[in-house]
Amino acid sequence: MAKYPRLLMFLAMCLFGLIGILASGVSLPSSVIVLFRGLIGSLFILLVILSTGKRISSEDVRSNLKPLVLSGIFLGLNWLALFEAYKQTTISLATLSNYMAPVFVMIVSPFLLRERFTVTKLVCVIISILGLAMASGVIQGGMTGDNDLYGISLGLLAAICYCGMVMCNKRLGDIGACDRTIVQLSVSTLVVMFYCVLSVDIGSLTFTTEDVVCLMLLGVVTTGCTFLLYFGTMRYLPAQTTAIYGYMEPVVTLLLSALLLSEDLGVAGWIGAALILGSTLLCSSLDRGSETNSPEVNGS
């Protein structure tokens, strides 16, 4: 992975961008989709770790147990809210709502991390909110109904949960990327499993061939392989470069949603999307320019 880190990071972001598209091809409840994604992805990463002769450091896990568990819980809640948003509104609107996460991070960072809330950050927050209003159709009066509003609300809830995961990750000490990933994925899967037991009649579920194929792709490709690619290459790239690549995911999702699912944001919607992604990218780039590698991935 050290040889072509930028190419592999590009591939990882493109694969992350497939998540909403693949989820739309599954007829099962959103929580069940998330459960299988987490199970398959966790098992795949664990098998890769064991096959390479590596071992999970129990000492590192124990010393970081509290933030690891909390971040895993937030990750599970993020997935539950985001995948339900995919069901309730368009993939495009759900994705853009979820990408308000950097806005929430900017808002809470001064209180939890004692970071400065600058004028630039305030401008980015305002522009992002304006962008979401344009993309959702609120300004134009084009929102189709209650489902869109509910879906956007779920996307925003997913963004809040992602923000919580970021705050927990900021408190992690010295722990390897693979160790962190497998623990967080396992905890998130347990959270989703508990939710499914309470809310879904598992015995009544039926799986089509398309469901099975999409679930396998979600678990192995867009979770297992993609997480390994992301964490395996980020150590070879500057933090600012990693942050910039992260904004390719929603772009890929929006383009594929338009091409494959005929989701048309319209001119105002695309302008809104550009405002959201551009403003958060600007602020993220300014913030991370002097940092080393960032530990977070997108809530996807």
Side-chain angles (χ1 to χ4, degrees):
M1 291 188 181
K3 194 172 183 180
Y4 303 108
R6 285 176 171 76
L7 177 61
L8 293 176
M9 181 63 74
F10 174 82
L11 176 60
M13 291 301 106
C14 289
L15 292 176
F16 271 135
L18 292 173
I19 292 173
I21 307 299
L22 291 173
S24 68
V26 183
S27 59
L28 300 167
S30 57
S31 57
V32 176
I33 300 174
V34 175
L35 175 60
F36 278 96
R37 182 196 179 192
L39 279 172
I40 296 169
S42 299
L43 289 173
F44 180 83
I45 292 176
L46 182 60
L47 288 174
V48 171
I49 292 174
L50 295 177
S51 67
T52 56
K54 295 181 180 179
R55 293 292 181 268
I56 296 174
S57 173
S58 57
E59 182 179 345
D60 289 348
V61 171
R62 280 197 302 270
S63 62
N64 291 280
L65 189 59
K66 185 176 179 180
L68 279 175
V69 170
L70 286 175
S71 62
I73 291 172
F74 278 120
L75 177 60
L77 295 176
N78 168 269
W79 282 3
L80 283 170
L82 179 59
F83 277 68
E84 183 60 24
Y86 289 149
K87 295 283 188 180
Q88 297 297 331
T89 186
T90 63
I91 304 299
S92 302
L93 287 179
T95 299
L96 288 173
S97 301
N98 184 47
Y99 257 80
M100 292 292 287
V103 173
F104 294 124
V105 171
M106 281 187 274
I107 291 173
V108 303
S109 290
F111 303 100
L112 299 182
L113 302 177
R114 302 196 181 281
E115 295 180 356
R116 292 177 58 222
F117 190 78
T118 62
V119 174
T120 302
K121 288 184 178 181
L122 177 61
V123 172
C124 288
V125 169
I126 294 172
I127 292 175
S128 295
I129 293 172
L130 175 63
L132 182 62
M134 293 184 67
S136 65
V138 169
I139 291 181
Q140 309 93 287
M143 190 176 290
T144 58
D146 293 337
N147 276 3
D148 276 340
L149 181 59
Y150 182 47
I152 291 172
S153 299
L154 286 170
L156 291 173
L157 177 60
I160 292 172
C161 292
Y162 174 76
C163 175
M165 187 186 72
V166 170
M167 294 299 108
C168 292
N169 276 343
K170 291 289 188 181
R171 299 187 181 279
L172 288 175
D174 187 21
I175 183 172
C178 286
D179 291 355
R180 178 176 68 241
T181 303
I182 191 63
V183 173
Q184 289 177 339
L185 278 177
S186 299
V187 171
S188 67
T189 301
L190 289 174
V191 170
V192 176
M193 186 180 297
F194 180 74
Y195 179 83
C196 284
V197 168
L198 295 178
S199 62
V200 178
D201 182 6
I202 302 295
S204 65
L205 297 176
T206 57
F207 294 78
T208 66
T209 302
E210 184 179 2
D211 291 339
V212 173
V213 171
C214 287
L215 287 174
M216 290 301 297
L217 290 173
L218 279 169
V220 174
V221 178
T222 66
T223 305
C225 291
T226 310
F227 274 44
L228 290 172
L229 279 173
Y230 183 88
F231 284 118
T233 56
M234 66 182 293
R235 73 181 66 180
Y236 302 108
L237 296 172
Q240 187 175 10
T241 301
T242 303
I244 292 172
Y245 272 103
Y247 286 87
M248 290 175 53
E249 178 195 341
V251 173
V252 171
T253 301
L254 294 176
L255 291 175
L256 291 179
S257 297
L259 293 173
L260 302 179
L261 304 178
S262 300
E263 294 183 1
D264 184 14
L265 284 174
V267 175
W270 281 105
I271 293 174
L275 290 175
I276 293 172
L277 301 179
S279 61
T280 52
L281 171 60
L282 171 63
C283 197
S284 177
S285 298
L286 292 175
D287 273 352
R288 300 190 190 191
S290 60
E291 292 182 4
T292 56
N293 290 330
S294 169
E296 294 86 35
V297 299
N298 177 265
S300 298

